[in-house]
PDB file of all heavy atoms in Angstrom:
ATOM      1  N   LEU A 102      96.797  75.230 108.238  1.00  0.00           N
ATOM      2  CA  LEU A 102      96.220  76.034 107.165  1.00  0.00           C
ATOM      3  C   LEU A 102      94.853  75.504 106.750  1.00  0.00           C
ATOM      4  O   LEU A 102      93.964  76.275 106.379  1.00  0.00           O
ATOM      5  CB  LEU A 102      97.169  76.077 105.960  1.00  0.00           C
ATOM      6  CG  LEU A 102      98.443  76.903 106.139  1.00  0.00           C
ATOM      7  CD1 LEU A 102      99.189  77.016 104.815  1.00  0.00           C
ATOM      8  CD2 LEU A 102      98.118  78.291 106.670  1.00  0.00           C
ATOM      9  N   TRP A 103      94.673  74.175 106.800  1.00  0.00           N
ATOM     10  CA  TRP A 103      93.338  73.624 106.548  1.00  0.00           C
ATOM     11  C   TRP A 103      92.358  74.149 107.597  1.00  0.00           C
ATOM     12  O   TRP A 103      91.230  74.553 107.274  1.00  0.00           O
ATOM     13  CB  TRP A 103      93.376  72.095 106.598  1.00  0.00           C
ATOM     14  CG  TRP A 103      93.855  71.450 105.337  1.00  0.00           C
ATOM     15  CD1 TRP A 103      95.060  70.855 105.119  1.00  0.00           C
ATOM     16  CD2 TRP A 103      93.138  71.319 104.105  1.00  0.00           C
ATOM     17  NE1 TRP A 103      95.150  70.372 103.847  1.00  0.00           N
ATOM     18  CE2 TRP A 103      93.985  70.632 103.198  1.00  0.00           C
ATOM     19  CE3 TRP A 103      91.868  71.707 103.682  1.00  0.00           C
ATOM     20  CZ2 TRP A 103      93.593  70.327 101.890  1.00  0.00           C
ATOM     21  CZ3 TRP A 103      91.476  71.410 102.372  1.00  0.00           C
ATOM     22  CH2 TRP A 103      92.336  70.729 101.499  1.00  0.00           C
ATOM     23  N   ALA A 104      92.812  74.152 108.860  1.00  0.00           N
ATOM     24  CA  ALA A 104      91.954  74.648 109.943  1.00  0.00           C
ATOM     25  C   ALA A 104      91.652  76.131 109.755  1.00  0.00           C
ATOM     26  O   ALA A 104      90.517  76.585 109.940  1.00  0.00           O
ATOM     27  CB  ALA A 104      92.626  74.411 111.301  1.00  0.00           C
ATOM     28  N   ALA A 105      92.687  76.895 109.373  1.00  0.00           N
ATOM     29  CA  ALA A 105      92.495  78.330 109.161  1.00  0.00           C
ATOM     30  C   ALA A 105      91.539  78.586 108.009  1.00  0.00           C
ATOM     31  O   ALA A 105      90.696  79.491 108.069  1.00  0.00           O
ATOM     32  CB  ALA A 105      93.843  78.999 108.890  1.00  0.00           C
ATOM     33  N   ALA A 106      91.640  77.795 106.936  1.00  0.00           N
ATOM     34  CA  ALA A 106      90.744  77.952 105.792  1.00  0.00           C
ATOM     35  C   ALA A 106      89.294  77.673 106.193  1.00  0.00           C
ATOM     36  O   ALA A 106      88.374  78.400 105.801  1.00  0.00           O
ATOM     37  CB  ALA A 106      91.167  77.016 104.658  1.00  0.00           C
ATOM     38  N   ALA A 107      89.099  76.615 106.998  1.00  0.00           N
ATOM     39  CA  ALA A 107      87.745  76.291 107.452  1.00  0.00           C
ATOM     40  C   ALA A 107      87.187  77.396 108.344  1.00  0.00           C
ATOM     41  O   ALA A 107      86.014  77.796 108.208  1.00  0.00           O
ATOM     42  CB  ALA A 107      87.752  74.955 108.200  1.00  0.00           C
ATOM     43  N   LEU A 108      88.014  77.908 109.260  1.00  0.00           N
ATOM     44  CA  LEU A 108      87.577  78.990 110.148  1.00  0.00           C
ATOM     45  C   LEU A 108      87.216  80.237 109.349  1.00  0.00           C
ATOM     46  O   LEU A 108      86.232  80.920 109.650  1.00  0.00           O
ATOM     47  CB  LEU A 108      88.674  79.313 111.167  1.00  0.00           C
ATOM     48  CG  LEU A 108      88.844  78.340 112.336  1.00  0.00           C
ATOM     49  CD1 LEU A 108      90.062  78.724 113.180  1.00  0.00           C
ATOM     50  CD2 LEU A 108      87.590  78.309 113.208  1.00  0.00           C
ATOM     51  N   SER A 109      88.017  80.540 108.331  1.00  0.00           N
ATOM     52  CA  SER A 109      87.751  81.726 107.507  1.00  0.00           C
ATOM     53  C   SER A 109      86.424  81.602 106.773  1.00  0.00           C
ATOM     54  O   SER A 109      85.643  82.560 106.703  1.00  0.00           O
ATOM     55  CB  SER A 109      88.877  81.939 106.490  1.00  0.00           C
ATOM     56  OG  SER A 109      90.087  82.234 107.137  1.00  0.00           O
ATOM     57  N   SER A 110      86.164  80.423 106.225  1.00  0.00           N
ATOM     58  CA  SER A 110      84.911  80.212 105.501  1.00  0.00           C
ATOM     59  C   SER A 110      83.712  80.364 106.429  1.00  0.00           C
ATOM     60  O   SER A 110      82.703  80.996 106.073  1.00  0.00           O
ATOM     61  CB  SER A 110      84.904  78.826 104.855  1.00  0.00           C
ATOM     62  OG  SER A 110      85.946  78.721 103.892  1.00  0.00           O
ATOM     63  N   LEU A 111      83.807  79.788 107.647  1.00  0.00           N
ATOM     64  CA  LEU A 111      82.724  79.927 108.616  1.00  0.00           C
ATOM     65  C   LEU A 111      82.573  81.380 109.046  1.00  0.00           C
ATOM     66  O   LEU A 111      81.452  81.886 109.202  1.00  0.00           O
ATOM     67  CB  LEU A 111      82.996  79.040 109.829  1.00  0.00           C
ATOM     68  CG  LEU A 111      81.958  79.089 110.954  1.00  0.00           C
ATOM     69  CD1 LEU A 111      80.570  78.723 110.437  1.00  0.00           C
ATOM     70  CD2 LEU A 111      82.361  78.148 112.089  1.00  0.00           C
ATOM     71  N   ALA A 112      83.699  82.075 109.226  1.00  0.00           N
ATOM     72  CA  ALA A 112      83.661  83.480 109.628  1.00  0.00           C
ATOM     73  C   ALA A 112      82.948  84.329 108.583  1.00  0.00           C
ATOM     74  O   ALA A 112      82.149  85.210 108.922  1.00  0.00           O
ATOM     75  CB  ALA A 112      85.081  84.005 109.852  1.00  0.00           C
ATOM     76  N   ILE A 113      83.210  84.071 107.304  1.00  0.00           N
ATOM     77  CA  ILE A 113      82.559  84.826 106.234  1.00  0.00           C
ATOM     78  C   ILE A 113      81.051  84.606 106.271  1.00  0.00           C
ATOM     79  O   ILE A 113      80.260  85.542 106.091  1.00  0.00           O
ATOM     80  CB  ILE A 113      83.148  84.429 104.867  1.00  0.00           C
ATOM     81  CG1 ILE A 113      84.599  84.931 104.750  1.00  0.00           C
ATOM     82  CG2 ILE A 113      82.310  84.993 103.732  1.00  0.00           C
ATOM     83  CD1 ILE A 113      85.337  84.399 103.551  1.00  0.00           C
TER      84      ILE A 113
END
Side-chain angles (χ1 to χ4, degrees):
L102 289 188
W103 279 106
L108 284 174
S109 295
S110 297
L111 179 57
I113 291 170

